[in-house]
Amino acid sequence: MKSTLVTFPDGQVSGRSEIVGTVPAGDRHGLVVAETPFHPLDHTWPDQPADRGLIGGLPVADCVTAARSPSGEVFAAAGIPVRRSEDGWQWLVVHVTDTPLPVGAQVELEVDAGYRAALSAGHTACHLAALALNAAVAGLWRKAPRLDALGNPDFDQSAITSSRISSYASVDDYRLGKSLRKKGFAADALEPAAVAAFVNERLKEWVAADVPVWVDVPGPGLTARRTWHCALPEGEASIPCGGTHVRRTSELGDVTVALELGEQSLTMKTRVSIS
């Protein structure tokens, strides 16, 4: 079994391929094809959920990342013990079904395009909201941290603890504890209402600008280091990303955020409203 080739970074939602192997999936069946349009749940940063759809006419109950060692042992999802750069390992997209299909069979793969579009909108909005948040809190840094692609202090990457994408939405959690304060961030001066107002205004401007969004795809392998780009009025933004996205900001309609401040945390909830 070779590493799975993927077409979802180019926006593909259908394809035809050969079942090249099976892997354990509990009481279900893990099907591996040579090439797939399905986006699996990432095992290291599980922000975007797995695609839904059909393989060989069967519903895909789940779609996960797996890795096969040089000795042939297969590890799935959080159980993968190595980094993506480990030599000799094959990286697989596993389509989990309730019914088996034979190895060697040629099958049609059909992703639920509506669900993919909803996740793509949520993911693009998530990145835009993060960049707007960086700009909104730029004045709260007393030391110079790493900068984002637009030249603002990168609060998002400095403080984020989790990100979850859903249909036309996302939730990002940030830590505001001692380690961030030591880096120079004045968390006590953060005013959620003012920050949210700034972010929402910036998002409104970016959506109205109708600028292109694209993913740089250096190769067809599942573990290729892909990068999200957006040609914003302030300059081209880029963020490492393995997910799926819309093609222009205008596709997002209305994007708004709400901020919730905890004792040592900040939660940003982003919503996309398509008219």
Side-chain angles (χ1 to χ4, degrees):
M1 232 179 342
K2 295 181 179 180
S3 293
T4 308
L5 303 182
V6 295
T7 61
F8 65 80
D10 293 322
Q12 298 299 313
V13 292
S14 64
R16 180 177 176 82
S17 189
E18 178 185 353
I19 297 178
V20 295
T22 60
V23 301
D27 294 334
R28 290 171 165 169
H29 306 273
L31 306 178
V32 180
V33 296
E35 181 180 272
T36 183
F38 277 78
H39 175 276
L41 181 69
D42 187 271
H43 68 293
T44 56
W45 188 249
D47 56 347
Q48 182 171 331
D51 279 332
R52 299 169 181 169
L54 302 173
I55 179 172
L58 300 176
V60 175
D62 199 2
C63 190
V64 301
T65 301
R68 184 173 183 266
S69 72
S71 64
E73 190 173 5
V74 175
F75 302 86
I80 297 175
V82 296
R83 296 180 181 273
R84 295 171 180 266
S85 58
E86 192 75 13
D87 290 338
W89 286 66
Q90 283 84 47
W91 293 87
L92 312 171
V93 176
V94 180
H95 311 75
V96 180
T97 62
D98 290 324
T99 304
L101 289 171
V103 173
Q106 292 286 332
V107 293
E108 300 290 339
L109 297 108
E110 294 289 340
V111 172
D112 183 330
Y115 184 58
R116 162 75 71 77
L119 294 178
S120 296
H123 207 151
T124 300
C126 178
H127 285 343
L128 292 175
L131 290 166
L133 179 61
N134 287 346
V137 301
L140 299 182
W141 289 93
R142 297 182 179 131
K143 299 179 182 178
R146 57 180 278 184
L147 304 180
D148 67 17
L150 299 180
N152 294 306
D154 202 339
F155 171 83
D156 176 73
Q157 288 302 301
S158 297
I160 195 164
T161 57
S162 70
S163 181
R164 294 292 183 271
I165 312 297
S166 58
S167 295
Y168 300 110
S170 66
V171 177
D172 294 280
D173 293 311
Y174 301 95
R175 56 182 174 80
L176 300 177
K178 291 182 179 179
S179 60
L180 189 66
R181 297 168 196 266
K182 287 181 178 179
K183 292 180 179 179
F185 186 76
D188 294 340
L190 195 155
E191 299 179 2
V195 171
F198 180 102
V199 171
N200 285 328
E201 184 60 31
R202 185 62 57 89
L203 289 171
K204 184 178 180 180
E205 294 171 0
W206 287 347
V207 170
D210 186 27
V211 292
V213 177
W214 69 98
V215 177
D216 179 42
V217 185
L222 176 61
T223 58
R225 295 186 178 277
R226 297 179 289 275
T227 305
W228 173 88
H229 294 265
C230 185
L232 294 170
E234 292 83 352
E236 184 178 311
S238 62
I239 297 174
C241 181
T244 64
H245 294 276
V246 302
R247 296 191 180 277
R248 301 192 70 87
T249 58
S250 59
E251 295 177 36
L252 297 175
D254 186 38
V255 183
T256 56
V257 305
L259 298 179
E260 297 177 2
L261 185 63
E263 186 174 339
Q264 291 191 333
S265 65
L266 179 70
T267 298
M268 179 169 66
K269 296 181 178 180
T270 305
R271 298 204 64 83
V272 179
S273 299
I274 305 294
S275 58

